[in-house]
């Protein structure tokens, strides 16, 4: 590995504390709505809401639902578990009210901004960019609200393109915008398959930010794990998966970190840093 000229980041759950905001937002919303929602099992409610987001947001990324449609489907499926049927208009209003609660909980992970500063010290000429799967307007609002707008030279959102991560074209497109070969770029994301393996397959250095300790879970399951090049895993992408990803991670040289504070250290000892 050489010193990168460009470091690219994922947004949600890499820099931006999305899952935390979702969990806090849905509980706040249920309390505000009241009735059967206020007395629901809070753990079960957050698990269901997150699962519906995973299901329907990926349908949007695949082109099966519009951005508004996946929001509506999430609201309708969630309320149906309480035997409440929402019309499309009611579901839109229900989600809009939830969104205000979710938005009130937006924040960065504590290690995000210090990571940028530390990388700039280790690699003085480094350039930063972001690749996110999602609607460019919605993701752009998040970026601005949490103070990241001035950190990136380029922001690439899949909603503005005809492809999304882990499609190699989105990583190649980002490198082309920066005018650098893929081997001189690094991509950091919290999803092993979508982020790290997708980037590595395109020729970038893929870095898996394993905040949730998925590799530790793999050890408990008897799956071998190696920090650095070649990561063995039992869980990836937030959905119980794929020991099959282990071989790909090893073959493609995926690196693993458990906090963004560890990222600058990957490059500090390289010649030219």
């Amino acid at each position: 590995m050489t010193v990168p000229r460009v470091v690219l980041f994922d947004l949600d759950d890499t820099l931006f504390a999305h899952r935390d905001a979702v969990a806090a937002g849905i509980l706040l919303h249920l309390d505000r709505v009241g009735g059967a929602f206020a007395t629901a099992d809070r753990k079960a409610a957050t698990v269901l809401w997150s699962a519906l987001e995973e299901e329907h947001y990926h349908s949007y990324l695949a082109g099966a639902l519009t951005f508004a449609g996946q929001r509506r489907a999430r609201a309708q499926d969630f309320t149906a578990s309480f035997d409440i049927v929402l019309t499309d208009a009611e579901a839109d209003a229900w989600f809009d009210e939830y969104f205000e609660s979710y938005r009130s909980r937006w924040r960065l992970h504590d290690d995000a901004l210090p990571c940028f500063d530390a990388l700039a010290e280790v690699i003085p000429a480094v350039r930063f960019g972001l690749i996110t799967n999602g609607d460019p307007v919605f993701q752009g609002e998040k970026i601005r609200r949490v103070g990241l707008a001035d950190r990136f030279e380029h922001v690439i959102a899949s909603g503005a393109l005809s492809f999304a991560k882990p499609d190699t074209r989105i990583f190649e497109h980002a490198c082309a915008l920066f005018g650098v070969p893929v081997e001189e770029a690094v991509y950091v994301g919290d999803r092993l398959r979508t982020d790290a393996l997708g980037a590595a397959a395109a020729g970038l250095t893929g870095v898996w930010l394993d905040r949730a300790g998925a590799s530790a879970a793999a050890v408990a399951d008897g799956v071998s794990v190696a920090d650095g090049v070649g990561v063995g895993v039992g869980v990836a992408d937030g959905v119980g998966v794929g020991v099959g990803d282990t071989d790909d991670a090893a073959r493609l040289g995926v690196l693993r970190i458990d906090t963004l504070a560890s990222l600058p250290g990957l490059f500090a000892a390289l010649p030219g840093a």
Side-chain angles (χ1 to χ4, degrees), residues 27 46 55 86 130 140 166 172 247 258:
L27 293 179
T46 57
E55 175 186 352
L86 298 181
L130 185 138
E172 293 164 350
D247 292 341
D258 57 14

Side-chain angles (χ1 to χ4, degrees), residues 145-230:
R145 279 284 301 272
V146 297
L148 285 176
D150 294 335
R151 294 284 182 167
F152 302 118
E153 189 172 332
H154 295 290
V155 172
I156 298 92
S158 67
L161 304 168
S162 60
F163 39 80
K165 297 179 298 182
D167 192 312
T168 57
R169 290 176 293 175
I170 199 166
F171 301 102
E172 293 164 350
H173 174 70
C175 291
L177 287 177
F178 278 93
V180 301
V182 291
E183 60 269 19
E184 295 183 7
V186 167
Y187 186 74
V188 185
D190 69 296
R191 292 177 178 252
L192 176 59
R193 186 182 303 135
T194 302
D195 293 321
L197 287 175
L204 294 76
T205 297
V207 179
W208 179 33
L209 175 59
D210 180 19
R211 288 192 186 278
S215 60
V219 171
D221 290 339
V223 179
S224 63
V225 178
D227 285 342
V229 178

Side-chain angles (χ1 to χ4, degrees), residues 23-24 33-35 46 50 65 69 82 114 131 133 143 191-192 200 205 220 226 240:
V33 173
T46 57
S50 295
L65 289 173
F82 292 82
I131 306 174
N133 277 353
I143 291 165
R191 292 177 178 252
L192 176 59
T205 297

